[in-house]
Amino acid sequence: MLDTSQGEPTVPAPTATTAPAPVAEEPRGCLFALSQPPLMIFLGVIGTLLLLAAVHDLFLL
C-alpha cells in the first residue's frame, strides 16, 4: 500500500521500556444497540412488511 503520511508519525511506536497503558472502558456502539429487544422487534416488523410488499408486487400484481 502506498504510504501517504506527511512527516513523523503522531503516535510513537511502543518500546520495551514503556509500561502498557491502562485499558479504558470502550464506549457502547452499534452492536450494543442491536442487542436491544425492542429495536429487534421493530426491525423484524419493518422487515416483514417489506417482505410482504415485495411478495405482493412480484406474485400478485
Side-chain angles (χ1 to χ4, degrees), residues 7-11 13 17-18 22 25 28 30 34 36 38 42 44-45 47 52 60:
E8 295 294 321
T10 56
V11 178
T17 60
T18 61
E25 184 178 331
R28 293 179 176 172
C30 183
L34 285 177
Q36 302 304 310
F42 172 75
V45 168
L52 289 174
L60 300 176

Side-chain angles (χ1 to χ4, degrees), residues 5-55:
S5 61
Q6 303 279 333
E8 295 294 321
T10 56
V11 178
T15 61
T17 60
T18 61
V23 177
E25 184 178 331
E26 294 184 15
R28 293 179 176 172
C30 183
L31 290 178
F32 175 77
L34 285 177
S35 68
Q36 302 304 310
L39 178 61
M40 292 308 294
I41 292 170
F42 172 75
L43 292 176
V45 168
I46 296 300
T48 302
L49 291 174
L50 288 172
L51 179 67
L52 289 174
V55 169

